[in-house]
Amino acid sequence: QVQLQESGPGLVKPSETLSLTCTVSGYSISSGYYWGWIRQPPGKGLEWIGSMYHNESPYYTPFLKSRVTISVDTPKNQFSLKLSSVTAADTAVYYCVRVHPSRFKPRYFDYWGQGTLVTVSS
Amino acid sequence: EIVLTQSPGTLSLSPGERATLSCRASQSVTITYLAWYQQKPGQAPRLLIYDTSSRATGIPDRFSGSGSGTDFTLTISRLEPEDFAVYYCQQYDSSPLTFGGGTKVEIK
């Protein structure tokens, strides 16, 4: 059974860097899937942040590309998200996801973490 | 960027009724690269349908997807009490991957 679990601070100050880690169990992170992050501001819809295969360059949404870094730690079976220079607009529930590939690109999201609320506030 | 517009915003129906949810894309989605997700309050979304019409593992057959090009539909043949939730479509034809704004299916 594939399981994903987000961890990290629930409160980040404006202008600082948001850092989250996703721990994967039940599946090897280097075994053929992409891994990524999606966020959902309170009461709003879903926004894809980016996806990464363990030994390839990541895909990012252009709207956050200048501030986002996704990386994979294969020995720990974890992947992480860093979002720099945060503002209140970055307040959201952040989900880590397994991303099903097709034709060598990330496609749809078949497993989700439970989500973690990150609030940006001083 | 492919923009997805879902309609209606809210659908008020009774258990046992048929639900038809629409997802329209701003440009053609090739190779039927469209998925549907269900989200209940306080929970993560769950994959229902991928590749326009393929049900994900464990999804009951009252859920079906159809469509092509720019117009896609999720149909729930007979609503069960656990089906009242918000539904999102997502395209994965081109980057950035995008979601529709959601349709809330509520109890009438």
Side-chain angles (χ1 to χ4, degrees), chain A residues 37 48-52 57-71 80-82, chain B residues 95-97:
Chain A
W37 294 91
W48 173 70
I49 299 171
S51 301
M52 181 175 182
S57 297
Y59 293 83
Y60 297 134
T61 177
F63 307 105
L64 297 173
K65 187 174 183 177
S66 63
R67 299 195 288 131
V68 173
T69 302
I70 294 176
S71 59
S80 65
L81 169 71
K82 291 188 186 299
Chain B
S95 189
L97 308 180

mmCIF file of all heavy atoms in Angstrom, chain A residues 37 48-52 57-71 80-82, chain B residues 95-97:
data_model
loop_
_atom_site.group_PDB
_atom_site.id
_atom_site.type_symbol
_atom_site.label_atom_id
_atom_site.label_comp_id
_atom_site.label_asym_id
_atom_site.label_seq_id
_atom_site.Cartn_x
_atom_site.Cartn_y
_atom_site.Cartn_z
ATOM 1 N N TRP A 37 4.096 18.071 -5.938
ATOM 2 C CA TRP A 37 3.380 18.843 -4.933
ATOM 3 C C TRP A 37 2.228 19.604 -5.580
ATOM 4 O O TRP A 37 2.349 20.117 -6.697
ATOM 5 C CB TRP A 37 4.338 19.834 -4.267
ATOM 6 C CG TRP A 37 5.412 19.171 -3.468
ATOM 7 C CD1 TRP A 37 6.649 18.791 -3.911
ATOM 8 C CD2 TRP A 37 5.350 18.797 -2.087
ATOM 9 N NE1 TRP A 37 7.348 18.186 -2.889
ATOM 10 C CE2 TRP A 37 6.579 18.185 -1.761
ATOM 11 C CE3 TRP A 37 4.382 18.918 -1.088
ATOM 12 C CZ2 TRP A 37 6.859 17.704 -0.486
ATOM 13 C CZ3 TRP A 37 4.652 18.433 0.176
ATOM 14 C CH2 TRP A 37 5.889 17.838 0.475
ATOM 15 N N TRP A 48 -1.334 22.865 -9.226
ATOM 16 C CA TRP A 48 -0.132 22.055 -9.356
ATOM 17 C C TRP A 48 1.101 22.933 -9.209
ATOM 18 O O TRP A 48 1.187 24.000 -9.827
ATOM 19 C CB TRP A 48 -0.125 21.376 -10.725
ATOM 20 C CG TRP A 48 1.126 20.644 -11.082
ATOM 21 C CD1 TRP A 48 1.591 19.485 -10.528
ATOM 22 C CD2 TRP A 48 2.073 21.016 -12.092
ATOM 23 N NE1 TRP A 48 2.763 19.111 -11.126
ATOM 24 C CE2 TRP A 48 3.087 20.025 -12.090
ATOM 25 C CE3 TRP A 48 2.173 22.072 -12.991
ATOM 26 C CZ2 TRP A 48 4.181 20.071 -12.962
ATOM 27 C CZ3 TRP A 48 3.253 22.117 -13.854
ATOM 28 C CH2 TRP A 48 4.249 21.120 -13.826
ATOM 29 N N ILE A 49 2.048 22.496 -8.377
ATOM 30 C CA ILE A 49 3.283 23.256 -8.161
ATOM 31 C C ILE A 49 4.408 22.712 -9.032
ATOM 32 O O ILE A 49 5.115 23.462 -9.710
ATOM 33 C CB ILE A 49 3.698 23.195 -6.671
ATOM 34 C CG1 ILE A 49 2.617 23.822 -5.790
ATOM 35 C CG2 ILE A 49 5.048 23.872 -6.466
ATOM 36 C CD1 ILE A 49 2.837 23.608 -4.299
ATOM 37 N N GLY A 50 4.606 21.400 -9.015
ATOM 38 C CA GLY A 50 5.670 20.809 -9.812
ATOM 39 C C GLY A 50 5.780 19.318 -9.576
ATOM 40 O O GLY A 50 5.202 18.781 -8.632
ATOM 41 N N SER A 51 6.536 18.664 -10.451
ATOM 42 C CA SER A 51 6.734 17.215 -10.367
ATOM 43 C C SER A 51 8.158 16.884 -10.790
ATOM 44 O O SER A 51 8.751 17.600 -11.612
ATOM 45 C CB SER A 51 5.749 16.479 -11.279
ATOM 46 O OG SER A 51 4.412 16.776 -10.943
ATOM 47 N N MET A 52 8.653 15.763 -10.258
ATOM 48 C CA MET A 52 10.035 15.406 -10.548
ATOM 49 C C MET A 52 10.202 13.892 -10.583
ATOM 50 O O MET A 52 9.637 13.180 -9.754
ATOM 51 C CB MET A 52 10.950 15.992 -9.468
ATOM 52 C CG MET A 52 12.413 15.703 -9.669
ATOM 53 S SD MET A 52 13.422 16.545 -8.456
ATOM 54 C CE MET A 52 15.043 16.053 -9.017
ATOM 55 N N SER A 57 15.458 16.398 -14.556
ATOM 56 C CA SER A 57 15.109 17.772 -14.204
ATOM 57 C C SER A 57 13.620 17.863 -13.885
ATOM 58 O O SER A 57 12.798 17.222 -14.532
ATOM 59 C CB SER A 57 15.436 18.707 -15.363
ATOM 60 O OG SER A 57 16.816 18.726 -15.626
ATOM 61 N N PRO A 58 13.263 18.660 -12.905
ATOM 62 C CA PRO A 58 11.851 18.771 -12.524
ATOM 63 C C PRO A 58 11.036 19.625 -13.492
ATOM 64 O O PRO A 58 11.587 20.412 -14.265
ATOM 65 C CB PRO A 58 11.914 19.434 -11.149
ATOM 66 C CG PRO A 58 13.195 20.196 -11.159
ATOM 67 C CD PRO A 58 14.145 19.434 -12.020
ATOM 68 N N TYR A 59 9.732 19.425 -13.436
ATOM 69 C CA TYR A 59 8.773 20.274 -14.118
ATOM 70 C C TYR A 59 8.135 21.190 -13.071
ATOM 71 O O TYR A 59 7.705 20.708 -12.018
ATOM 72 C CB TYR A 59 7.663 19.435 -14.770
ATOM 73 C CG TYR A 59 8.104 18.561 -15.902
ATOM 74 C CD1 TYR A 59 8.672 17.309 -15.664
ATOM 75 C CD2 TYR A 59 7.936 18.960 -17.224
ATOM 76 C CE1 TYR A 59 9.062 16.491 -16.716
ATOM 77 C CE2 TYR A 59 8.321 18.138 -18.274
ATOM 78 C CZ TYR A 59 8.891 16.913 -18.006
ATOM 79 O OH TYR A 59 9.271 16.100 -19.050
ATOM 80 N N TYR A 60 8.049 22.480 -13.351
ATOM 81 C CA TYR A 60 7.425 23.424 -12.441
ATOM 82 C C TYR A 60 6.358 24.228 -13.174
ATOM 83 O O TYR A 60 6.475 24.510 -14.369
ATOM 84 C CB TYR A 60 8.446 24.424 -11.881
ATOM 85 C CG TYR A 60 9.562 23.835 -11.047
ATOM 86 C CD1 TYR A 60 10.888 24.226 -11.235
ATOM 87 C CD2 TYR A 60 9.306 22.907 -10.044
ATOM 88 C CE1 TYR A 60 11.918 23.711 -10.471
ATOM 89 C CE2 TYR A 60 10.328 22.376 -9.267
ATOM 90 C CZ TYR A 60 11.627 22.780 -9.495
ATOM 91 O OH TYR A 60 12.653 22.260 -8.730
ATOM 92 N N THR A 61 5.333 24.663 -12.411
ATOM 93 C CA THR A 61 4.415 25.642 -12.993
ATOM 94 C C THR A 61 5.169 26.947 -13.218
ATOM 95 O O THR A 61 5.957 27.379 -12.370
ATOM 96 C CB THR A 61 3.197 25.883 -12.085
ATOM 97 O OG1 THR A 61 2.384 26.898 -12.672
ATOM 98 C CG2 THR A 61 3.599 26.301 -10.680
ATOM 99 N N PRO A 62 4.946 27.611 -14.350
ATOM 100 C CA PRO A 62 5.664 28.868 -14.607
ATOM 101 C C PRO A 62 5.322 29.960 -13.602
ATOM 102 O O PRO A 62 6.104 30.889 -13.402
ATOM 103 C CB PRO A 62 5.214 29.252 -16.028
ATOM 104 C CG PRO A 62 3.953 28.507 -16.247
ATOM 105 C CD PRO A 62 4.088 27.230 -15.464
ATOM 106 N N PHE A 63 4.170 29.836 -12.936
ATOM 107 C CA PHE A 63 3.734 30.882 -12.019
ATOM 108 C C PHE A 63 4.538 30.904 -10.734
ATOM 109 O O PHE A 63 4.551 31.893 -10.017
ATOM 110 C CB PHE A 63 2.246 30.719 -11.729
ATOM 111 C CG PHE A 63 1.416 30.656 -12.967
ATOM 112 C CD1 PHE A 63 0.873 29.457 -13.422
ATOM 113 C CD2 PHE A 63 1.203 31.797 -13.735
ATOM 114 C CE1 PHE A 63 0.125 29.402 -14.589
ATOM 115 C CE2 PHE A 63 0.454 31.746 -14.900
ATOM 116 C CZ PHE A 63 -0.077 30.544 -15.330
ATOM 117 N N LEU A 64 5.221 29.796 -10.416
ATOM 118 C CA LEU A 64 6.023 29.711 -9.200
ATOM 119 C C LEU A 64 7.472 29.351 -9.485
ATOM 120 O O LEU A 64 8.280 29.268 -8.550
ATOM 121 C CB LEU A 64 5.428 28.657 -8.253
ATOM 122 C CG LEU A 64 4.027 28.909 -7.715
ATOM 123 C CD1 LEU A 64 3.535 27.688 -6.932
ATOM 124 C CD2 LEU A 64 3.991 30.149 -6.830
ATOM 125 N N LYS A 65 7.802 29.143 -10.747
ATOM 126 C CA LYS A 65 9.091 28.558 -11.119
ATOM 127 C C LYS A 65 10.285 29.286 -10.521
ATOM 128 O O LYS A 65 11.279 28.676 -10.127
ATOM 129 C CB LYS A 65 9.217 28.525 -12.641
ATOM 130 C CG LYS A 65 10.433 27.785 -13.144
ATOM 131 C CD LYS A 65 10.422 27.651 -14.649
ATOM 132 C CE LYS A 65 11.606 26.834 -15.137
ATOM 133 N NZ LYS A 65 11.577 26.640 -16.606
ATOM 134 N N SER A 66 10.198 30.613 -10.419
ATOM 135 C CA SER A 66 11.343 31.377 -9.921
ATOM 136 C C SER A 66 11.565 31.180 -8.415
ATOM 137 O O SER A 66 12.628 31.533 -7.895
ATOM 138 C CB SER A 66 11.139 32.866 -10.212
ATOM 139 O OG SER A 66 9.991 33.338 -9.523
ATOM 140 N N ARG A 67 10.584 30.615 -7.717
ATOM 141 C CA ARG A 67 10.698 30.492 -6.265
ATOM 142 C C ARG A 67 10.702 29.043 -5.778
ATOM 143 O O ARG A 67 10.868 28.804 -4.587
ATOM 144 C CB ARG A 67 9.518 31.210 -5.596
ATOM 145 C CG ARG A 67 9.430 32.699 -5.868
ATOM 146 C CD ARG A 67 8.479 33.380 -4.898
ATOM 147 N NE ARG A 67 7.081 33.062 -5.151
ATOM 148 C CZ ARG A 67 6.216 32.663 -4.227
ATOM 149 N NH1 ARG A 67 6.613 32.484 -2.978
ATOM 150 N NH2 ARG A 67 4.951 32.433 -4.543
ATOM 151 N N VAL A 68 10.500 28.072 -6.664
ATOM 152 C CA VAL A 68 10.283 26.677 -6.254
ATOM 153 C C VAL A 68 11.494 25.805 -6.529
ATOM 154 O O VAL A 68 12.146 25.937 -7.577
ATOM 155 C CB VAL A 68 9.072 26.089 -7.010
ATOM 156 C CG1 VAL A 68 8.938 24.597 -6.742
ATOM 157 C CG2 VAL A 68 7.802 26.798 -6.589
ATOM 158 N N THR A 69 11.744 24.891 -5.590
ATOM 159 C CA THR A 69 12.708 23.817 -5.812
ATOM 160 C C THR A 69 12.107 22.517 -5.279
ATOM 161 O O THR A 69 11.670 22.469 -4.125
ATOM 162 C CB THR A 69 14.034 24.077 -5.089
ATOM 163 O OG1 THR A 69 14.588 25.319 -5.524
ATOM 164 C CG2 THR A 69 15.031 22.951 -5.391
ATOM 165 N N ILE A 70 12.057 21.506 -6.124
ATOM 166 C CA ILE A 70 11.654 20.160 -5.707
ATOM 167 C C ILE A 70 12.871 19.263 -5.872
ATOM 168 O O ILE A 70 13.555 19.304 -6.894
ATOM 169 C CB ILE A 70 10.474 19.634 -6.541
ATOM 170 C CG1 ILE A 70 9.219 20.477 -6.269
ATOM 171 C CG2 ILE A 70 10.201 18.164 -6.216
ATOM 172 C CD1 ILE A 70 8.019 20.100 -7.129
ATOM 173 N N SER A 71 13.125 18.464 -4.850
ATOM 174 C CA SER A 71 14.263 17.543 -4.908
ATOM 175 C C SER A 71 13.866 16.195 -4.326
ATOM 176 O O SER A 71 12.910 16.088 -3.559
ATOM 177 C CB SER A 71 15.456 18.122 -4.161
ATOM 178 O OG SER A 71 15.120 18.367 -2.817
ATOM 179 N N SER A 80 11.167 16.605 -1.418
ATOM 180 C CA SER A 80 10.938 17.830 -0.670
ATOM 181 C C SER A 80 10.525 18.982 -1.574
ATOM 182 O O SER A 80 10.719 18.958 -2.791
ATOM 183 C CB SER A 80 12.187 18.207 0.115
ATOM 184 O OG SER A 80 13.228 18.514 -0.785
ATOM 185 N N LEU A 81 9.962 19.996 -0.935
ATOM 186 C CA LEU A 81 9.538 21.223 -1.586
ATOM 187 C C LEU A 81 10.145 22.392 -0.848
ATOM 188 O O LEU A 81 10.091 22.449 0.388
ATOM 189 C CB LEU A 81 8.011 21.335 -1.553
ATOM 190 C CG LEU A 81 7.413 22.688 -1.960
ATOM 191 C CD1 LEU A 81 7.581 22.913 -3.461
ATOM 192 C CD2 LEU A 81 5.932 22.777 -1.569
ATOM 193 N N LYS A 82 10.715 23.326 -1.592
ATOM 194 C CA LYS A 82 11.133 24.602 -1.013
ATOM 195 C C LYS A 82 10.504 25.706 -1.853
ATOM 196 O O LYS A 82 10.605 25.689 -3.083
ATOM 197 C CB LYS A 82 12.649 24.730 -1.000
ATOM 198 C CG LYS A 82 13.331 23.781 -0.020
ATOM 199 C CD LYS A 82 14.815 24.071 0.116
ATOM 200 C CE LYS A 82 15.497 23.030 0.975
ATOM 201 N NZ LYS A 82 14.951 22.983 2.352
ATOM 202 N N SER B 95 2.031 21.072 -20.144
ATOM 203 C CA SER B 95 2.447 21.758 -18.927
ATOM 204 C C SER B 95 2.188 23.253 -19.087
ATOM 205 O O SER B 95 2.418 23.806 -20.176
ATOM 206 C CB SER B 95 3.935 21.501 -18.689
ATOM 207 O OG SER B 95 4.342 21.975 -17.432
ATOM 208 N N PRO B 96 1.713 23.932 -18.010
ATOM 209 C CA PRO B 96 1.493 23.400 -16.677
ATOM 210 C C PRO B 96 0.229 22.537 -16.571
ATOM 211 O O PRO B 96 -0.763 22.805 -17.254
ATOM 212 C CB PRO B 96 1.338 24.658 -15.822
ATOM 213 C CG PRO B 96 0.759 25.664 -16.756
ATOM 214 C CD PRO B 96 1.392 25.391 -18.077
ATOM 215 N N LEU B 97 0.324 21.507 -15.748
ATOM 216 C CA LEU B 97 -0.852 20.699 -15.456
ATOM 217 C C LEU B 97 -1.865 21.597 -14.746
ATOM 218 O O LEU B 97 -1.497 22.346 -13.833
ATOM 219 C CB LEU B 97 -0.469 19.514 -14.565
ATOM 220 C CG LEU B 97 0.699 18.654 -15.067
ATOM 221 C CD1 LEU B 97 0.990 17.520 -14.096
ATOM 222 C CD2 LEU B 97 0.413 18.121 -16.459
#
